[in-house]
Amino acid sequence: MQLTKFGHACVRVERDGRRLVVDPGGLTDPRALDGADAVLVTHEHFDHFSEETLRRAAEHNPDLRIWTNSAVAARLDGLGTRVTAVGEGSAFDAAGFDVQVHGTWHAALHPDIPRIPNVGFLVDGTLFHPGDALTVPAAPVGTLLLPVHAPWSTVGHLIDYVREVAPRDAYAVHDGALNDIGTAMVGGFLGDQGPGIGARYHRLTPGESVDLG
């Protein structure tokens, strides 16, 4: 399985010639969807979901399938059975990838800000993308895509989250608003110089790929 980061929260997973893209949002290069067979969307925020980009990709590729929560699915009306709404406990095959859904809600920002639905996706029983939440799936995780910078979390939250999920590797996502100083600061706490998260911490640059084995 090969993992490629496409800026901020979007990644592409490839195996045996099949391509699965997670969270191609408004901060994502649309080319992330080139050749995609399936798309997963965790929630409706613009940095994770671009209706225009997805509709364009679906028009270009009639075989493209999309799985997401009910709120996002409602915004993709007109695509019919090519869009499937899923929730906590759902399990399905997406372009040959086994996908399980964990989580229900976006992380809380403030009591005055309503929470929205957010689902996390566990791919092939090993790679977990939680979206905008620190969901601990009820299953082992080999590789965690860790949202390292958001208005709803602190570095302390991230350290405790990785320790609880206990993956082998953690790869940074959701870092599009960090400058070089912020990236280095977060990496210092989550890497070997920090208090320890129990996992190997990595950060891919946009377009960089890694073989997950």
Side-chain angles (χ1 to χ4, degrees), residues 81-154:
T81 58
R82 298 171 64 186
V83 179
T84 302
V86 295
E88 169 75 42
S90 296
F92 53 91
D93 179 281
F97 293 90
D98 176 71
V99 182
Q100 299 175 10
V101 180
H102 298 269
T104 304
W105 295 105
H106 190 288
L109 283 88
H110 187 275
D112 292 343
I113 301 177
R115 296 175 74 182
I116 62 170
N118 177 97
V119 291
F121 297 104
L122 181 63
V123 180
D124 278 354
T126 184
L127 175 69
F128 185 59
H129 194 313
D132 273 6
L134 300 182
T135 301
V136 179
V141 172
T143 301
L144 174 66
L145 299 177
L146 180 65
V148 298
H149 179 251
W152 41 264
S153 71
T154 67

Side-chain angles (χ1 to χ4, degrees), residues 143-190:
T143 301
L144 174 66
L145 299 177
L146 180 65
V148 298
H149 179 251
W152 41 264
S153 71
T154 67
V155 170
H157 292 144
L158 299 179
I159 292 170
D160 290 342
Y161 177 55
V162 179
R163 288 176 178 178
E164 186 171 3
V165 176
R168 179 188 64 254
D169 293 278
Y171 283 85
V173 294
H174 212 280
D175 53 1
L178 286 175
N179 59 20
D180 291 342
I181 295 173
T183 297
M185 186 181 299
V186 171
F189 283 111
L190 299 177

Side-chain angles (χ1 to χ4, degrees), residues 20-31:
L20 174 69
V21 178
V22 186
D23 280 1
L27 302 178
T28 301
D29 186 334
R31 288 176 294 182

Side-chain angles (χ1 to χ4, degrees), residues 31-54:
R31 288 176 294 182
L33 288 164
D34 289 353
D37 301 289
V39 176
L40 309 178
V41 179
T42 62
H43 67 288
E44 64 198 76
H45 283 160
F46 87 98
D47 52 336
H48 296 256
F49 166 59
S50 169
E51 179 180 346
E52 179 183 359
T53 299
L54 276 183

Side-chain angles (χ1 to χ4, degrees), residues 56-67:
R56 188 182 304 118
E59 181 180 359
H60 180 72
N61 177 10
D63 295 323
L64 184 69
R65 293 285 309 278
I66 302 166
W67 285 264

